[in-house]
Amino acid sequence: MKTKWFRNLGLAVMALSLTFGSVSAVSASSKLSGRIVINGSSALLPLTLQASNEFKKLNPKVKISASAAGSVTGPQSVRKGIADIGACDWDASTSVPGFAAFSGQVANKVAVIPFAAVTNGSVGVSSLSTSDLQGIFSGKITNWKDVGGKDAKIVVVNRAFGSGTRVNFQLKALNGTDFMTKGDNYKEVKSSGDMKTAIETTPGAIGYIDLVYVSGSKMKAVSINNVAPTEANVINGTYKVWSYGYYMTKGQPTGAVKAFIDYVQSSKFQNGSLKKLKFIPLAAMKK
Amino acid sequence: MSMKKTLMISALAAALSTSVIGVASAATPQQTTATAPFNVMVNDSSIQVRSIQANGTTLVSLRDIGSATGALFVVNVKSGVTAYIQGHSVELHAGSAAAMVDGEQVDLQQAVVSVNGSYYISIEDFVGAFGVDGAMDDAGKAWIDSVERIHADTISWINAGQLLASTLSDEGRTDYIVDAKTSAFTKVLSSDSASELSVSPDGKKAAYTDDDGAVYVIDLTSKSFNSQTVTADNSIKPELVWSADGSAIYFLQSDKGTVIQKLNVADGKLTQVLSDKVDYKSNLSVSTDGTKFFYVVSKPGAVTADANKPVDVDDVAIDTTGTEPQIYFFDASVKDAAAGTKLTSSTDDKIFVGAAADGSKAYYISAVDGQPSSLVAVAQDKTVTKLIGDKDVLQAAFAGDKIYALTDAGEQTALYEVDAVSGTSKLIANLDGNVSEVVAAPGAPAAVVIDDMTYVVDGGSLMKVTK
């Protein structure tokens, strides 16, 4: 061979650091291997699957299986030892209304998720106060005219127990007050998709949903205390109904699990696919 | 001096310890020889500089080698020299093993020596203090590279002579056009809300989405890189795929990627190509005639959980059977076609999926637990053919009828070119270092990313284009 292609790693790395700094990349010949099982939040599932597609290109020996059945099943699966990562819309290492802390688990932030109170498009209300919401979701306020809307019966649509969206809405929109649990004007749904369908097709309905699902004229996202549920208002701190999305792990993550979480937290993913899926990057909350 | 720089200087010294250029203690009294010519490669050209031997180490003229790399010098009142290179300042003093780089001290391995008013410095110290790239070849010749380049976090070809390079940060992204021969770069877009740019096949346009999902197209041929809104449609669009003629952009719509949509660039009209209620499509490829679509479907695992049981019972079960990604095909030219056809059902992982330009088959890397990964083609009739089956294939990039593949070659990474039509493959290069990506496009040479830097494969050599 006439000339061997050569490169002096020490020199190259030094030159880089003296100028702009470096961004780490995983080698195509990465020997990282293993299987990662992820379960939990349905809101985080699209993000997880997209990250999985991208991560496997950097680590072709790592297999990833993802599933969703509600946030609480994430830390439950980790505690039971059937999942490596529990995707959850709240920090399950701490206690929240209805759920004790999952001790020994570490909450790894991966995204910011805004939530919105949503109504059927015909109710005639554009903003509700915290007090209004507490009255409506507890069943004490039953007609839209009592909160400035049309003379129409209110139908409360709630997410089933175990939903991360429900936990966050109760904590941050209702300040921890209880939901009504039964009655003619009460429905329970199991997913964000079902919530969207129920709100769009039920006259007088009110519920709550990830902001990403809000589209079209059949469903309306209402302001809370006159603050609109927008990404900008989440970032500037005026809109309070949002949460970090977490990957719960049993202790500090290691190996392929750590590498996967690192990838989801990387600038490449946060400012790339995560934003395209309409989550808010973690770094946006630090500004 | 920061610990980071201390460690890097140490690593450099260790890396060069077996070279012809030795390293001496800065504290050792200097015994120098008369000046002699010394050959060094600077930016791929051989130049001759003055040199001396000091305690058995070759020191080169600071002015000679600095000038060759583009540095400007100012002699200051304290008998020192300050050099300016690529926006950085380097202050050196005779008899001192301390350099001030942008006001921060960097320790040198060897004190700078002054002979008849001229400063001499070891090459490794020059490289470290001046922030240029350096290397030693097998023959012991030093190579220095001082061409100003950008760093790229992502890279793709625009056409045979230009690449699109992007730098990423927590604040957003900046995209550049980079000349593949000179490394010269021009900023195209800097944004905290734009997605990555998807370049049209002719290299004249690039598309991106904003935070709302609206689609914009940049004219890459205009000096100001004019951008126009194609559609304000705010549905989620995880990936944009250009039609071969650049008239349309295809995308998988919604967070579940359920629907294949076609966006007409001229008027923003959206046309539904496929809506078969199959969720989690990804890696969309479209044939040249725009009728044949390949994509991957990822099926989530099935979970059973009884919400009526106490949480601490952990009554959860996950069935991951059948969650491996599968290749699907949809032929829009078939009248009343309403659903994609599942081409694969194997339990291997399928990554780096691409398709033949004529839509006859899809290509992918098949990864099986505990076995080398192979490069595979699957035809519309579900026939599976191995294109590379005797090596561990790590990556693949598609360029018309060519596929470039990276394979594990022990301490090295091998780059192969595969003729997608005949199935034959040939070795292009064995690459050292941390090879993280091969970049390809029809009509363009292959490029590889090694240690975060992009190199264009040019015959028997690598030309660095990003740092």
Side-chain angles (χ1 to χ4, degrees):
Chain A
M1 187 164 63
K2 184 179 177 184
T3 303
K4 180 187 176 189
W5 285 339
F6 67 90
R7 295 167 15 76
N8 186 309
L9 184 61
L11 291 170
V13 170
M14 176 164 53
L16 208 60
S17 71
L18 285 173
T19 50
F20 298 99
S22 63
V23 174
S24 65
V26 181
S27 167
S29 57
S30 167
K31 296 297 190 292
L32 208 57
S33 62
R35 177 182 289 272
I36 303 172
V37 177
I38 305 167
N39 180 47
S41 162
S42 54
L44 289 170
L45 182 61
L47 178 150
T48 299
L49 287 171
Q50 181 64 32
S52 169
N53 285 336
E54 297 173 19
F55 180 78
K56 287 192 293 187
K57 290 181 178 178
L58 301 171
N59 299 276
K61 304 298 185 190
V62 177
K63 294 201 168 203
I64 300 174
S65 295
S67 54
S71 280
V72 72
T73 66
Q76 280 183 306
S77 301
V78 171
R79 184 165 62 189
K80 193 175 181 181
I82 57 174
D84 306 287
I85 293 174
C88 190
D89 297 352
W90 74 86
D91 178 355
S93 67
T94 64
S95 296
V96 295
F99 300 100
F102 285 77
S103 62
Q105 295 197 18
V106 172
N108 305 273
K109 291 177 183 172
V110 293
V112 175
I113 313 170
F115 304 102
V118 288
T119 68
N120 180 273
S122 65
V123 304
V125 166
S126 59
S127 182
L128 294 167
S129 66
T130 299
S131 176
D132 292 339
L133 289 169
Q134 289 172 330
I136 290 170
F137 280 94
S138 67
K140 293 172 184 166
I141 298 174
T142 58
N143 195 299
W144 284 109
K145 69 181 181 183
D146 295 331
V147 289
K150 294 179 178 175
D151 182 5
K153 186 176 77 172
I154 294 174
V155 178
V156 170
V157 185
N158 204 1
R159 287 288 302 275
F161 181 74
S163 155
T165 310
R166 172 174 163 149
V167 166
N168 281 291
F169 193 77
Q170 186 176 11
L171 265 179
K172 294 160 184 170
L174 306 181
N175 286 345
T177 58
D178 288 335
F179 289 107
M180 61 189 297
T181 56
K182 57 186 178 182
D184 292 343
N185 62 334
Y186 179 78
K187 285 185 177 181
E188 235 175 55
V189 293
K190 289 186 175 178
S191 69
S192 298
D194 291 347
M195 174 66 80
K196 182 177 172 69
T197 301
I199 296 296
E200 288 179 341
T201 59
T202 308
I206 184 169
Y208 50 87
I209 200 166
D210 308 359
L211 187 59
V212 64
Y213 284 92
V214 177
S215 63
S217 59
K218 295 178 184 173
M219 180 167 70
K220 182 177 177 60
V222 297
S223 296
I224 297 178
N225 299 320
N226 294 313
V227 180
T230 64
E231 180 181 323
N233 285 341
V234 171
I235 293 171
N236 69 28
T238 56
Y239 186 77
K240 308 295 184 185
V241 190
W242 61 273
S243 169
Y244 287 110
Y246 295 89
Y247 278 170
M248 305 302 301
T249 54
K250 189 176 183 179
Q252 291 295 340
T254 59
V257 172
K258 180 180 187 305
F260 180 70
I261 294 174
D262 286 347
Y263 181 76
V264 174
Q265 294 173 335
S266 69
S267 292
K268 180 177 183 182
F269 186 75
Q270 292 276 314
N271 277 318
S273 295
L274 181 138
K275 284 178 73 172
K276 284 193 284 188
L277 290 168
K278 299 198 176 182
F279 292 93
I280 299 175
L282 297 170
M285 305 311 293
K286 298 171 187 169
K287 291 176 181 173
Chain B
M1 179 181 176
S2 70
M3 178 62 72
K4 186 176 180 183
K5 285 184 178 174
T6 304
L7 292 173
M8 287 176 172
I9 295 289
S10 300
L12 172 67
L16 292 175
S17 62
T18 57
S19 72
V20 294
I21 299 175
V23 176
S25 165
T28 306
Q30 301 295 335
Q31 295 179 335
T32 61
T33 63
T35 59
F38 184 83
N39 288 315
V40 60
M41 299 296 292
V42 176
N43 300 331
D44 295 329
S45 297
S46 179
I47 66 163
Q48 198 171 70
V49 298
R50 290 170 291 166
S51 72
I52 60 171
Q53 295 290 315
N55 295 331
T57 300
T58 300
L59 306 184
V60 296
S61 161
L62 177 64
R63 184 170 293 277
D64 289 356
I65 199 161
S67 298
T69 58
L72 299 174
F73 291 93
V74 173
V75 179
N76 61 39
V77 293
K78 295 179 182 176
S79 300
V81 168
T82 301
Y84 297 91
I85 183 167
Q86 295 178 6
H88 299 273
S89 66
V90 184
E91 184 181 322
L92 298 161
H93 295 267
S96 172
M100 297 298 290
V101 178
D102 294 335
E104 186 177 357
Q105 183 172 318
V106 173
D107 289 343
L108 306 179
Q109 296 296 313
Q110 172 101 2
V112 173
V113 173
S114 177
V115 176
N116 297 328
S118 294
Y119 278 22
Y120 290 82
I121 187 172
S122 73
I123 291 181
E124 58 265 43
D125 281 339
F126 175 81
V127 167
F130 280 65
V132 295
D133 284 353
M136 193 74 60
D137 68 13
D138 287 350
K141 178 173 283 188
W143 294 61
I144 291 174
D145 186 344
S146 66
V147 175
E148 190 171 10
R149 299 180 175 89
I150 57 158
H151 172 69
D153 294 312
T154 66
I155 191 89
S156 60
W157 283 103
I158 295 173
N159 53 46
Q162 293 177 312
L163 294 127
L164 183 73
S166 308
T167 60
L168 309 176
S169 70
D170 286 346
E171 285 70 44
R173 61 183 299 118
T174 303
D175 300 283
Y176 301 89
I177 292 175
V178 177
D179 188 293
K181 290 195 181 302
T182 66
S183 302
F185 51 91
T186 307
K187 187 168 82 173
V188 175
L189 178 69
S190 188
S191 171
D192 62 359
S193 61
S195 71
E196 78 274 13
L197 303 187
S198 173
V199 179
S200 63
D202 64 4
K204 294 180 178 176
K205 291 174 283 191
Y208 66 94
T209 57
D210 66 9
D211 288 345
D212 292 329
V215 179
Y216 303 82
V217 168
I218 297 175
D219 180 357
L220 295 177
T221 64
S222 69
K223 286 186 178 178
S224 57
F225 300 115
N226 298 323
S227 177
Q228 285 192 320
T229 307
V230 177
T231 179
D233 171 68
N234 64 358
S235 61
I236 290 174
K237 304 171 183 71
E239 51 189 83
L240 302 177
V241 180
W242 283 90
S243 65
D245 64 3
S247 67
I249 296 168
Y250 297 91
F251 62 91
L252 296 166
Q253 191 176 41
S254 85
D255 59 342
K256 293 183 178 178
T258 311
V259 176
I260 300 177
Q261 287 275 19
K262 179 183 180 181
L263 170 63
N264 192 43
V265 174
D267 58 12
K269 182 183 176 187
L270 287 166
T271 308
Q272 190 169 286
V273 175
L274 173 65
S275 179
D276 58 2
K277 298 184 178 177
V278 175
D279 293 336
Y280 299 116
K281 298 182 177 79
S282 64
N283 295 286
L284 181 67
S285 296
V286 186
S287 63
T288 300
D289 67 2
T291 63
K292 297 173 180 60
F293 298 80
F294 291 91
Y295 50 90
V296 174
V297 172
S298 300
K299 180 184 167 191
V303 181
T304 51
D306 188 345
N308 295 317
K309 292 187 177 176
V311 172
D312 57 7
V313 171
D314 293 337
D315 185 59
V316 185
I318 306 169
D319 182 1
T320 60
T321 306
T323 57
E324 298 82 7
Q326 303 298 348
I327 311 288
Y328 277 67
F329 169 70
F330 177 68
D331 189 346
S333 67
V334 175
K335 189 180 179 185
D336 298 328
T341 302
K342 188 177 178 181
L343 296 184
T344 61
S345 55
S346 51
T347 59
D348 53 339
D349 228 342
K350 300 166 189 72
I351 47 183
F352 294 101
V353 178
D358 65 1
S360 61
K361 60 187 74 171
Y363 305 103
Y364 61 94
I365 292 177
S366 167
V368 179
D369 280 344
Q371 296 180 23
S373 300
S374 51
L375 180 64
V376 168
V378 58
Q380 292 178 25
D381 65 2
K382 304 183 183 180
T383 305
V384 174
T385 310
K386 282 192 177 179
L387 300 177
I388 298 179
D390 58 347
K391 300 170 185 68
D392 192 10
V393 185
L394 306 167
Q395 271 213 17
F398 306 96
D401 291 334
K402 289 180 183 175
I403 304 171
Y404 290 95
L406 295 175
T407 68
D408 188 354
E411 294 299 311
Q412 295 182 309
T413 302
L415 173 63
Y416 282 88
E417 180 183 302
V418 181
D419 184 320
V421 177
S422 68
T424 58
S425 60
K426 64 178 179 182
L427 177 66
I428 301 297
N430 281 311
L431 303 166
D432 292 321
N434 183 355
V435 184
S436 58
E437 188 177 0
V438 57
V439 184
V448 288
V449 179
I450 307 174
D451 299 327
D452 289 340
M453 295 173 277
T454 309
Y455 296 81
V456 173
V457 180
D458 181 19
S461 62
L462 297 178
M463 289 174 46
K464 185 160 76 172
V465 289
T466 72
K467 67 179 182 182

